[in-house]
Amino acid sequence: MAQKAKLALYWAASCGGCEIAVVRLYAKILDVAEFFDIVFWPCIMDFKYKDVEALPDKSIDLCLFNGAIRNSEQEYMAHLLREKSKVLVAFGACAHTGGIPGLGNVANRETIFQRVYDETPSTVNADGVRPQLSYQVPEGWLTLPEFYDTVRTLAQVVPVEYFVPGCPPVKEQVEAVIQAVVEGNLPAPGSVVGASDKTVCDDCTRIKEDKRIRSIYRPWEVIPDSTRCLLEQGIICAGPATRGGCGGPCPSVNMPCRGCYGPPPNVVDQGGKLLSAVASIIDTQDPAEFGRVADAIPDLLGTCYLFGLPSSLLFRVRQEREALPAKQAVEQSKAV
Amino acid sequence: MPDTRIGVFVCHCGRNIGGYVDVPQVVEYAKNLPDVAHAEHNLYTCSEEGISSIKRKIQENDLNRVLVASCTPRTHEPLFRSACQEAGLNKYLFEFVNIRDQCSWVHMNLPKEATEKAKALIRMGVAKARLLEPLEEIEIEVTPSCLVIGAGAAGMTAALNLANQGFDVHLVEKRAELGGLLRGLHKLFTGNQDAGEFIVPLINHVRDHEHITTHLSTKVKEVKGFIGNFDVTLDHGQKESAVSVGTIIVAVGADEFKPAGQYGYGETPGVLTQLELEERMKEGTLRAKNVVMINCVGARVPERPYCSRFCCVTAIKNAVLIKENDPEANVWILHRDLMAYGVEFEDYYRKAMQLGVRFVRYSLDSLPEVIMDGEVEGVRVRHQLMGKQVELPSDMVVLTTPLVPREENAEISKMLKVPLSSEGFFLEAHLKLRPVEFATDGIFICGSARWPVEVSEAVFQAYASAAKAAMPMRRGYVCPEAITSFVNEEFCGGCGICAVLCPYSAMLMEAKNGKRVAHSIEALCKGCGTCGAACPSGAIAMNHFTDKQILAQIDALAEA
Amino acid sequence: MNKNGFEPLILGFACNWCTYAGADLAGTSRIQYPPNIRVIRVMCSGRVDPTFILRAFSRGVDGVLIGGCHPGDCHYIEGNYKARRRMELLRRMLGDFGIEPERLRLEWVSASEGARFAEVVADFTKTIKELGPLKSDATIAVGQQH
């Protein structure tokens, strides 16, 4: 019997949804198991990192890597799996463009730790305890990965052959990608697969008439007409600035697209284009009136870069570098 | 994929650039930029020598992109584009970098910084040039008719000139009769020709001409379209009408400034302006024996610093007429410098002096005073040369005032999308190189609408603008710049944002294979780029100003 | 505070019909202004895609100045109104990014306003000098090479 192709799946800074997306292949998962030998999938079974370290380089035929890179462990695994894989795929929005964890780029380690370990209402932490990179216990040294200031996409850390967008990638596209791999039918490396070259507007079946709007509404503020374009009803829908191929499931249930498939092929910065489009269609010449309409958008950065902040041009929020607290600095120097 | 071979030509422009920017250093820098196959400097790249060099080097060095770093594309881009075309290169493979008007001339005391800036600008230009694509222009038909706005000396002359060439002219005049300012004039300097003798034949020719349709008591309400195809709505008061023309000439003239509140003007009938004086002379009701004229009233003052050019000669003319009519009359002209230029005006001034017109120079810091007691009694003035106050007995004071822009200029400027100068007159494309046209193709300017002129100048300018307007109409077509939008249908999701933004309705949403996509109508697209800037799918490319080209310029800028 | 002779890098966009002509007029009138600005000519201020400005800041440009026609005078009728709307929204978002909104300025400069162009450039250069460099060792980096 011919040797089966080797498949690895890993999750970095993510939610687990991409694992579920693969499991959602339902019966087709059996075809996957028939074609591939799963050599590493820590979510499903008790694989160890040393199992991967023991593999020869480039011996994993396909690695579906989901999640963004936000700490040193994830970075280490990105490099390791890159070494050991022939084809490394950034699977899902987090690995592709940063995803929701990417919003961490509005903060940095110190402000996040302050929030988590000091400010949250139910936390009691009078001594200001912070996670340490290493800590000595009677049994030896315990270590934790280093938490970075900035979240990065997979491709910002290691070279990547293919990108499968989506939060998560829809079932039909996961099937299509697996099929393409099995048939050896993949485009040039560097391509986005499992998506179309057009925008979500192309998938969406709502009727488009006139894009000019005079107000902006939050999705919970109005019950939209389910046949008309959501953006035309004043609800900010990222569909025009988002790569399609998902089939437009969100607009089909009265929820605006939030951009999880990332930028269209010809767009350099998804959030910038969405901003430009929204500003352009607010139909007033009066700056005061425009300001009032724009005030209805509570979080412009979050709206524009919900899934793509690390892959955007500005990449992260500009902040003053904080000096590390003295205690942590001392402990770090004792790191193993 | 053939290599990109860029030729860079850096101009000294005599000392205009070379005197401040280290041009040889800039050329050396350009030589070392990637894809630059040739770099040189020229004394005047726009000269015969410079142009030949460009053409020769394109052939010799197998260049497929050309960059000239010199003055401004607003005047010289067409010249260099032609040079490229003549050497067999598509004219859109040419890029212009401005290192004079926006570099050497504005950083004259900072030669090092100016040189560094010139290098940076050229680096940015090369980055764009690398990505330029050949483009083809389309032909658009030109309607062989012209709209002339204003039927004064300039407007009527231009209308007749075009009509005599066989073009149809719509001559629009807001008043109930033709003639403009000429109607109010008595005699024309310097031959003292009766203004009526000049204007009546002109008016008759205009009225009788088969190619001129005169619209009196009519204003232009709206203008849509572009060169060759303007759609004009005329407002006749009770009704409106529409005409289609290929070109437009603005000849709306100017107004005489009425100096309310100065020197008693408006308070007593004995103080008038020069035009009002001419009216009295025409009616024959002039009785004054001691006329004092005050020049530069409302001109060459802080709130209106310009000189209206011919009012001095107008004052001299009227002074001469008064003296010829009544040698016993006393005429003084109080002035702050006399603008009597050239041979004829200088002679005229001498004639006035010989006839006994007296000239008194006053200064801005010691203005004349009109002594009144219900009626004008005299004028007190500090005689600058004599250095003392003199009192001139007077029964009439004539104020020589400038021409000022018409109030409707602002409205017309918005309607036609043409600019006004800071004084409020219309602003031509270039004072020396394109004096009777606007930067907007197909719209021309002549007469006092542009700058105060006297009748012969108005006529010259009218001939010039008519000649320019005739060019596209004679040829029958224009080739608009190929800087239009282009929709990559493979990326267009059919959102329709472009279609609602385009002010020319050049973007249409179409159904193709059951999918909605945008389509750009080349003949209507002006290339403004607002659709491209908004297009959230990146499907729209703005030819010659593409995202990639502009981003490359930005990256090159930042590569400090 | 001008941080020790910091010379900012400023990107300008000038619309062909108004601001670019006004800038040329400043040149023919020999009105001097600081040399930090490098202008990219576009046909209309409406061409300016917020992406361009984001790219400029991501590459460390310290300030971006956009010049267009006065409201009502746009050669393409309304391009400047669209520019104004886009820049307003962009300025708000720049604030979210920790980039001082003053680093992005939109000014109306007509073809006859040579002196005004020089004045605006001088004033904007001064503003950026006072704000300091966009990228420095004191900040966690914004933008990256793609």
Side-chain angles (χ1 to χ4, degrees):
Chain A
M1 189 168 100
Q3 256 223 324
K4 287 208 273 189
K6 292 189 171 50
L7 174 65
L9 291 93
Y10 184 66
W11 52 352
S14 65
C15 66
C18 286
E19 262 62 25
I20 297 174
V22 173
V23 167
R24 260 192 98 211
L25 290 172
Y26 301 132
K28 287 214 158 58
I29 196 91
L30 298 173
D31 297 337
V32 173
E34 200 186 302
F35 188 81
F36 289 102
D37 229 347
I38 297 172
V39 297
F40 183 65
W41 194 354
C43 174
I44 301 299
M45 282 179 269
D46 188 24
F47 291 97
K48 303 293 188 198
Y49 291 162
K50 57 180 168 45
D51 297 337
V52 184
E53 284 157 13
L55 291 172
D57 282 0
K58 300 265 175 274
S59 59
I60 301 174
D61 293 284
L62 176 67
C63 175
L64 301 179
F65 188 116
N66 76 70
I69 310 296
R70 112 86 78 241
N71 68 28
S72 57
E73 174 180 354
Q74 292 152 0
E75 185 175 12
Y76 171 73
M77 287 310 293
H79 283 288
L80 182 65
L81 286 165
R82 172 70 278 178
E83 230 176 62
K84 307 296 179 184
S85 307
K86 265 205 213 79
V87 175
L88 179 62
V89 173
F91 190 83
C94 297
H96 175 213
T97 56
I100 298 291
L103 288 174
N105 280 359
V106 302
N108 58 56
R109 175 176 56 218
E110 185 46 39
T111 55
I112 290 174
F113 280 14
Q114 240 178 301
R115 179 82 189 135
V116 171
Y117 296 108
D118 291 336
E119 292 168 14
T120 40
S122 56
T123 301
V124 177
N125 185 4
D127 293 332
V129 173
R130 287 278 188 277
Q132 311 291 323
L133 284 179
S134 57
Y135 190 77
Q136 191 167 40
V137 292
E139 294 85 344
W141 282 95
L142 296 175
T143 60
L144 281 176
E146 185 184 344
F147 190 95
Y148 295 145
D149 282 322
T150 301
V151 179
R152 286 173 292 168
T153 68
L154 182 61
Q156 288 167 358
V157 175
V158 293
V160 167
E161 270 84 23
Y162 298 103
F163 303 87
V164 178
C167 179
V170 300
K171 172 169 178 290
E172 293 75 16
Q173 294 289 11
V174 177
E175 275 174 27
V177 169
I178 304 270
Q179 194 65 27
V181 171
V182 163
E183 289 171 1
N185 188 18
L186 286 166
S191 305
V192 169
V193 295
S196 89
D197 280 343
K198 287 195 180 235
T199 58
V200 174
C201 292
D202 189 58
D203 290 335
C204 177
T205 53
R206 288 173 178 261
I207 298 167
K208 306 175 192 66
E209 285 172 317
D210 186 320
K211 275 293 179 298
R212 285 173 280 217
I213 58 177
R214 313 250 24 191
S215 316
I216 288 179
Y217 302 104
R218 305 286 301 286
W220 49 261
E221 270 185 301
V222 292
I223 298 179
D225 180 329
S226 55
T227 59
R228 289 178 52 218
C229 167
L230 288 168
L231 186 53
E232 290 179 17
Q233 297 180 65
I235 297 171
I236 296 190
C237 174
T242 305
R243 193 187 277 263
C246 58
C250 301
S252 75
V253 293
N254 260 1
M255 279 304 291
C257 166
R258 299 190 307 162
C260 79
Y261 262 59
N266 240 7
V267 165
V268 166
D269 187 291
Q270 185 182 21
K273 272 302 193 182
L274 181 59
L275 182 147
S276 185
V278 169
S280 303
I281 61 175
I282 296 174
D283 192 27
T284 175
Q285 315 279 38
D286 174 19
E289 177 60 28
F290 181 81
R292 269 192 294 280
V293 177
D295 284 343
I297 309 171
D299 173 13
L300 198 44
L301 188 157
T303 305
C304 290
Y305 295 105
L306 194 59
F307 293 89
L309 186 53
S311 64
S312 70
L313 282 171
L314 288 181
F315 177 52
R316 64 155 295 121
V317 166
R318 180 172 175 255
Q319 288 170 327
E320 297 292 318
R321 268 188 204 290
E322 303 277 343
L324 290 173
K327 198 162 160 209
Q328 182 155 15
V330 167
E331 292 304 319
Q332 267 201 303
S333 70
K334 286 211 231 126
V336 167
Chain B
M1 171 92 195
D3 280 337
T4 307
R5 297 178 59 78
I6 305 173
V8 176
F9 298 82
V10 185
C11 187
H12 283 262
C13 194
R15 283 191 53 77
N16 287 305
I17 297 174
Y20 309 98
V21 167
D22 186 344
V23 171
Q25 198 192 112
V26 169
V27 171
E28 279 314 301
Y29 176 80
K31 277 196 180 124
N32 289 317
L33 291 171
D35 300 313
V36 171
H38 172 78
E40 70 180 51
H41 48 108
N42 322 103
L43 188 60
Y44 290 100
T45 312
C46 58
S47 67
E48 173 63 51
E49 213 181 297
I51 298 290
S52 317
S53 183
I54 292 177
K55 293 199 261 195
R56 218 172 39 246
K57 300 300 160 54
I58 290 176
Q59 311 287 2
E60 284 171 13
N61 296 69
D62 214 9
L63 302 175
N64 50 32
R65 303 283 184 283
V66 170
L67 185 152
V68 168
S70 62
C71 47
T72 175
R74 289 175 57 252
T75 52
H76 284 70
E77 187 167 60
L79 173 67
F80 295 125
R81 275 184 172 173
S82 298
C84 291
Q85 221 168 4
E86 284 160 28
L89 211 55
N90 182 288
K91 65 197 257 206
Y92 290 94
L93 297 174
F94 166 76
E95 177 67 10
F96 204 115
V97 173
N98 184 330
I99 60 169
R100 189 192 69 180
D101 306 46
Q102 296 187 19
C103 187
S104 66
W105 272 350
V106 291
H107 309 311
M108 284 157 72
N109 302 320
L110 301 166
K112 197 158 75 71
E113 287 81 351
T115 303
E116 287 312 302
K117 178 165 167 172
K119 288 184 196 168
L121 290 171
I122 288 174
R123 186 176 66 235
M124 289 160 71
V126 166
K128 178 167 172 179
R130 243 178 236 126
L131 301 172
L132 289 174
E133 297 287 326
L135 297 168
E136 294 308 320
E137 291 172 344
I138 58 171
E139 280 179 14
I140 296 185
E141 234 179 85
V142 171
T143 308
S145 75
C146 182
L147 170 75
V148 176
I149 312 179
M156 287 195 292
T157 305
L160 273 174
N161 190 284
L162 284 172
N164 287 338
Q165 292 187 53
F167 299 112
D168 286 324
V169 179
H170 287 275
L171 180 59
V172 172
E173 168 56 51
K174 71 175 183 190
R175 279 196 243 272
E177 60 286 304
L178 303 166
L181 274 179
L182 270 176
R183 294 197 77 87
L185 292 180
H186 177 45
K187 303 263 191 207
L188 305 177
F189 53 70
T190 56
N192 286 0
Q193 177 191 27
D194 190 74
E197 269 173 33
F198 175 79
I199 198 180
V200 167
L202 202 56
I203 291 175
N204 288 338
H205 278 142
V206 164
R207 269 214 287 261
D208 296 338
H209 208 294
E210 55 168 343
H211 281 298
I212 299 180
T213 310
T214 310
H215 305 270
L216 294 172
S217 304
T218 303
K219 287 191 160 176
V220 177
K221 181 162 182 226
E222 197 186 14
V223 175
K224 285 201 170 119
F226 50 93
I227 181 180
N229 302 274
F230 291 108
D231 290 313
V232 181
T233 309
L234 298 176
D235 178 4
H236 305 282
Q238 311 291 5
K239 63 177 175 77
E240 288 181 8
S241 67
V243 295
S244 285
V245 295
T247 53
I248 300 177
I249 296 181
V250 176
V252 298
D255 278 322
E256 190 198 37
F257 177 61
K258 307 290 184 208
Q262 295 188 50
Y263 301 109
Y265 181 79
E267 294 167 41
T268 160
V271 178
L272 20 148
T273 65
Q274 292 285 355
L275 256 186
E276 287 160 5
L277 173 66
E278 298 210 19
E279 208 180 297
R280 298 270 184 94
M281 292 199 277
K282 273 206 300 196
E283 289 167 4
T285 59
L286 184 65
R287 299 278 174 268
K289 294 293 282 181
N290 295 303
V291 179
V292 174
M293 297 187 178
I294 307 178
N295 285 3
C296 293
V297 174
R300 302 175 70 228
V301 292
E303 57 275 13
R304 199 175 294 104
Y306 65 86
C307 159
S308 192
R309 303 175 63 249
F310 58 83
C311 5
C312 282
V313 188
T314 302
I316 291 172
K317 168 190 76 180
N318 290 333
V320 164
L321 285 171
I322 292 173
K323 285 298 269 189
E324 281 179 345
N325 187 49
D326 178 5
E328 302 304 310
N330 286 312
V331 185
W332 288 272
I333 294 183
L334 313 186
H335 66 89
R336 283 188 277 133
D337 305 315
L338 271 180
M339 179 66 86
Y341 52 89
V343 176
E344 287 197 346
F345 292 168
E346 186 71 21
D347 281 349
Y348 207 39
Y349 166 42
R350 239 183 281 277
K351 176 175 176 180
M353 284 197 286
Q354 274 159 12
L355 284 174
V357 175
R358 273 161 287 184
F359 293 85
V360 176
R361 175 189 277 276
Y362 74 91
S363 72
L364 193 54
D365 56 13
S366 132
L367 295 174
E369 220 182 297
V370 175
I371 307 160
M372 283 193 297
D373 185 13
E375 307 240 324
V376 174
E377 292 190 346
V379 177
R380 201 177 292 128
V381 61
R382 183 173 170 75
H383 196 306
Q384 210 181 38
L385 286 177
M386 282 170 63
K388 62 176 182 146
Q389 288 269 31
V390 298
E391 210 167 287
L392 307 169
S394 168
D395 51 6
M396 174 180 277
V397 171
V398 183
L399 304 176
T400 311
T401 57
L403 284 189
V404 293
R406 290 208 193 273
E407 270 174 26
E408 52 263 32
N409 283 5
E411 204 187 305
I412 296 173
S413 127
K414 280 193 177 29
M415 215 182 347
L416 296 174
K417 304 281 155 251
V418 294
L420 296 178
S421 70
S422 47
E423 293 85 6
F425 293 100
F426 287 95
L427 185 66
E428 70 277 302
H430 191 277
L431 182 59
K432 295 184 186 174
L433 300 176
R434 299 176 67 196
V436 287
E437 56 192 292
F438 289 104
T440 310
D441 286 333
I443 310 184
F444 307 89
I445 176 79
C446 58
S448 289
R450 177 181 164 255
W451 199 243
V453 292
E454 43 96 359
V455 175
S456 61
E457 287 169 334
V459 169
F460 287 155
Q461 291 176 12
Y463 286 152
S465 61
K468 284 236 128 185
M471 282 160 61
M473 295 196 290
R474 172 81 49 218
R475 198 200 282 133
Y477 66 88
V478 284
C479 296
E481 258 195 292
I483 54 173
T484 52
S485 59
F486 176 76
V487 179
N488 277 303
E489 289 179 7
E490 55 182 304
F491 299 125
C492 175
C495 70
I497 290 174
C498 55
V500 302
L501 295 182
C502 181
Y504 304 102
S505 309
M507 273 295 189
L508 277 189
M509 303 311 297
E510 285 183 343
K512 271 202 179 166
N513 305 323
K515 298 285 192 176
R516 190 177 189 240
V517 287
H519 172 71
S520 163
I521 303 171
E522 224 179 321
L524 294 178
C525 174
K526 302 275 148 278
C528 70
T530 202
C531 59
C535 174
S537 68
I540 294 178
M542 296 309 305
N543 282 326
H544 208 64
F545 291 92
T546 67
D547 283 355
K548 288 198 173 56
Q549 288 163 0
I550 295 176
L551 290 172
Q553 286 177 289
I554 295 169
D555 291 349
L557 160 70
E559 194 197 302
Chain C
M1 317 325 127
N2 186 358
K3 303 187 170 28
N4 305 328
F6 154 59
E7 285 301 334
L9 186 58
I10 295 177
L11 167 64
F13 284 99
C15 82
N16 180 64
W17 304 93
C18 286
T19 306
Y20 196 92
D24 280 348
L25 181 59
T28 40
S29 315
R30 310 294 194 277
I31 305 175
Q32 307 295 296
Y33 53 82
N36 306 68
I37 189 169
R38 281 102 174 85
V39 167
I40 291 179
R41 173 174 164 245
V42 288
M43 293 314 285
C44 179
S45 53
R47 175 72 190 94
V48 180
D49 185 336
T51 308
F52 301 158
I53 296 153
L54 295 169
R55 180 75 152 226
F57 286 134
S58 81
R59 299 293 166 122
V61 169
D62 301 296
V64 179
L65 175 66
I66 299 163
C69 305
H70 287 264
D73 292 347
C74 176
H75 183 82
Y76 303 100
I77 309 176
E78 287 184 348
N80 55 355
Y81 287 124
K82 284 139 188 165
R84 182 164 64 184
R85 306 203 290 255
R86 292 170 189 147
M87 293 309 122
E88 169 57 27
L89 219 52
L90 180 58
R91 216 181 280 109
R92 292 178 179 213
M93 194 168 78
L94 287 175
D96 290 349
F97 270 100
I99 295 177
E100 299 91 334
E102 297 76 42
R103 290 187 186 267
L104 172 62
R105 192 185 291 192
L106 175 62
E107 286 283 353
W108 311 127
V109 178
S110 80
S112 63
E113 290 179 314
R116 178 164 149 69
F117 179 81
E119 228 171 83
V120 164
V121 171
D123 186 68
F124 188 62
T125 308
K126 179 158 161 290
T127 300
I128 301 300
K129 278 195 179 164
E130 283 163 8
L131 287 173
L134 181 73
K135 292 200 183 188
S136 70
D137 291 335
T139 57
I140 303 176
V142 59
Q144 54 176 338
Q145 297 294 323
H146 282 259

